Amino acid sequence: MAVQVLPMSDNHDMYGLVDAAIKVIENSGLKYKVTPFETVIEGSYDDVMALVEKVQEACFISGAQKLLCNLKIQSDHTGYVTIEDKMAKYE
């Protein structure tokens, strides 16, 4: 899954709110990779969707008044799609 969180606040810096979201992802125990526009996360559907909820909560707790949360999910009926599957030829 890729998640892009766009928090909005009149009183807080957007990047600080995004940092709070990334901290939740770091502490999740799931494999992830931060990129300039989104963070890619590996895990089961239930695990990553639960994490998305926690990420949104972290933004609101940190001062976001509103947020947009864009998700991209790739599924494979034979197993997980890994970050390496998608990136190996480019690294």
Side-chain angles (χ1 to χ4, degrees):
M1 177 189 69
V3 59
Q4 178 190 47
V5 179
L6 302 168
M8 294 167 253
S9 174
D10 294 334
N11 303 319
H12 295 85
D13 175 59
M14 181 180 74
Y15 292 111
L17 297 171
V18 170
D19 287 343
I22 292 171
K23 189 66 160 171
V24 170
I25 295 168
E26 288 174 349
N27 292 332
S28 72
L30 297 177
K31 186 171 182 179
Y32 70 95
K33 183 172 187 163
V34 176
T35 69
F37 291 101
E38 61 194 12
T39 299
V40 181
I41 305 163
E42 288 183 17
S44 71
Y45 181 85
D46 290 340
D47 288 345
V48 296
M49 293 310 290
L51 181 56
V52 168
E53 185 174 0
K54 291 177 184 176
V55 162
Q56 292 178 83
E57 289 173 9
C59 289
F60 287 126
I61 289 168
S62 297
Q65 295 161 318
K66 301 177 187 178
L67 65 87
L68 292 173
C69 188
N70 297 308
L71 303 177
K72 297 177 191 173
I73 300 171
Q74 182 174 356
S75 301
D76 185 331
H77 74 282
T78 63
Y80 291 129
V81 178
T82 68
I83 294 169
E84 287 79 20
D85 292 339
K86 298 184 71 66
M87 297 299 301
K89 71 179 184 179
Y90 302 109
E91 294 181 342

